[in-house]
Amino acid sequence: MVAPRDHVLLRNSGSSNWLAIRELRGTDEESMTSTGTTAVIALIDALLVETPGSSFRRGDAAKLSAADRDLVLAAVYRQSFGSSVHSVVLCSNCD
């Protein structure tokens, strides 16, 4: 099954196997005061969109397994920045 762009297929969170999220806004980014679990759950709660067929809605992010939270965060990244992750790795043994 291929999910629409705003749907996230879940693997470990009970009866509903998907949820819907809206796109990340600048205010969402600014609201992140830490990268801890509590802050991540609050971010996901803010992004959840009530959609027929999914049992997840705002306030339900704490019900997600850690693995499914990671899937949601990856989907947020993909929506915002695309499917590639670009980085620069510096070798401590190289100049």
Side-chain angles (χ1 to χ4, degrees):
M1 175 178 161
V2 176
R5 184 172 164 87
D6 63 342
H7 289 187
V8 181
L9 297 176
L10 305 173
R11 304 198 194 275
N12 302 298
S13 292
S15 61
S16 182
N17 65 351
W18 64 274
L19 56 77
I21 54 173
R22 64 169 173 77
E23 289 191 26
L24 189 64
R25 300 177 186 148
T27 54
D28 299 316
E29 293 181 79
E30 291 174 354
S31 73
M32 293 296 296
T33 57
S34 77
T35 57
T37 303
T38 302
V40 168
I41 288 172
L43 174 65
I44 293 172
D45 269 334
L47 300 177
L48 283 172
V49 176
E50 190 170 334
T51 306
S54 173
S55 60
F56 286 93
R57 53 188 50 87
R58 280 197 181 148
D60 289 343
K63 296 177 184 177
L64 294 168
S65 68
D68 282 343
R69 282 194 308 266
D70 287 347
L71 286 172
V72 173
L73 292 175
V76 169
Y77 184 93
R78 192 172 43 254
Q79 275 184 343
S80 300
F81 306 107
S83 60
S84 296
V85 176
H86 301 278
S87 66
V88 176
V89 179
L90 302 175
C91 174
S92 60
N93 295 323
C94 302
D95 289 330

